[in-house]
C-alpha cells in the first residue's frame, strides 16, 4: 500500500541509508514514522471491522509468549511517550506461561489500548502497563493518569466506533 511505502522510506532515512540527518530532522522523521504506524493500525482496525461484519474475521491461534508481544508494542510507543514527557512503566512477571492466541490480533489489542492511554494522558503523566498470571485468568492492564472514561460511558466502551463525550471535547 502507499502507506507501507511511506513507512519504508522513512525507516530507510532514519537508519541512515541515504546519508546523515540532523537531530531535529531525526525527531521530525521519527514522529512521522510513528504517525504512519498509527495510521496503519487504524486501517487494520477498519479492515477487521469489515471482516467482522461480513463474517470473515478469523482467529489464528498459535503458541505465543505474551510478554514478548507486549515488549514489542511498548518499543513502538516509547517515542510517543517520550515526546509527551509521559512516564511509560511496565510491570511484567519474570516467569510467564506460553498461551494459545492470535499473535497479530493481540498486537492490535495491546497497541490500541496503550496508544489510547498515551493519547488521552496529558504531558508529564504516567501510563503503566501490567501483565499478570493469576490462578483464574491472564490479566492485561493499562493504568494511566489521563482523562478517564466516565462511569456512565463505560458500558459503551467496546461498541463499534464509540467515543465518550469527554474524549470528543
Amino acid at each position: 500500500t502507499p502507506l507501507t511505502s511511506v513507512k519504508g522510506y522513512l525507516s530507510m532515512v532514519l537508519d541512515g541509508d541515504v546519508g546523515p540527518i540532523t537531530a531535529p530532522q531525526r525527531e521530525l522523521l521519527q514522529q512521522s514514522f510513528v504517525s504512519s504506524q498509527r495510521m496503519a493500525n487504524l486501517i487494520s482496525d477498519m479492515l477487521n471491522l469489515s471482516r467482522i461484519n461480513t463474517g470473515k474475521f478469523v482467529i489464528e491461534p498459535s503458541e505465543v509468549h505474551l510478554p514478548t508481544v507486549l515488549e514489542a508494542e511498548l518499543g513502538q510507543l516509547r517515542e510517543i511517550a517520550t515526546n509527551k514527557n509521559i512516564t511509560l512503566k511496565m510491570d511484567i512477571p519474570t516467569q510467564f506461561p506460553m498461551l494459545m492466541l492470535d499473535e497479530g490480533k493481540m498486537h492490535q489489542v495491546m497497541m490500541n489500548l496503550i496508544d489510547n492511554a498515551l493519547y488521552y494522558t496529558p504531558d508529564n503523566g504516567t501510563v503503566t502497563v501490567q501483565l499478570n498470571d493469576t490462578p483464574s485468568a491472564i490479566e492485561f492492564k493499562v493504568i494511566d493518569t489521563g482523562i478517564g472514561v466516565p462511569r456512565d460511558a463505560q458500558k459503551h466502551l467496546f461498541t463499534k466506533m464509540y467515543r465518550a463525550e469527554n474524549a470528543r471535547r
Side-chain angles (χ1 to χ4, degrees):
T1 66
L3 186 57
T4 302
S5 179
V6 168
K7 281 181 57 186
Y9 287 128
L10 286 169
S11 179
M12 289 172 61
V13 174
L14 285 166
D15 289 344
D17 293 347
V18 292
I21 57 175
T22 66
Q25 289 170 332
R26 176 169 301 286
E27 185 177 324
L28 292 173
L29 289 167
Q30 187 64 41
Q31 288 176 6
S32 297
F33 183 81
V34 169
S35 292
S36 67
Q37 181 60 48
R38 290 178 83 187
M39 180 60 71
N41 291 336
L42 286 171
I43 291 168
S44 184
D45 289 347
M46 299 278 243
L47 288 171
N48 277 335
L49 282 175
S50 175
R51 289 182 188 115
I52 288 169
N53 289 335
T54 60
K56 295 180 180 173
F57 186 76
V58 177
I59 301 227
E60 299 173 7
S62 63
E63 203 169 74
V64 175
H65 187 244
L66 206 51
T68 303
V69 173
L70 179 55
E71 288 168 359
E73 293 310 314
L74 289 173
Q76 289 188 49
L77 294 167
R78 282 192 204 293
E79 186 73 26
I80 294 170
T82 300
N83 290 340
K84 290 183 72 180
N85 292 317
I86 293 174
T87 302
L88 186 56
K89 297 179 181 179
M90 180 173 63
D91 182 12
I92 300 175
T94 54
Q95 298 294 316
F96 205 84
M98 296 296 285
L99 304 170
M100 290 301 290
L101 302 168
D102 185 315
E103 185 173 348
K105 297 205 175 47
M106 286 309 302
H107 275 282
Q108 281 183 278
V109 167
M110 290 178 160
M111 173 66 80
N112 285 340
L113 292 172
I114 301 166
D115 188 49
N116 279 345
L118 290 169
Y119 186 81
Y120 291 109
T121 296
D123 290 5
N124 302 310
T126 302
V127 173
T128 303
V129 180
Q130 296 177 342
L131 200 53
N132 298 308
D133 177 14
T134 72
S136 60
I138 299 296
E139 296 175 344
F140 169 65
K141 295 180 182 181
V142 180
I143 304 157
D144 61 65
T145 57
I147 63 172
V149 180
R151 175 125 3 251
D152 63 328
Q154 290 177 7
K155 63 182 176 261
H156 301 291
L157 273 178
F158 295 100
T159 59
K160 185 166 65 171
M161 306 303 251
Y162 178 77
R163 181 173 286 175
E165 183 62 35
N166 65 334
R168 280 189 246 144
R169 286 193 307 269

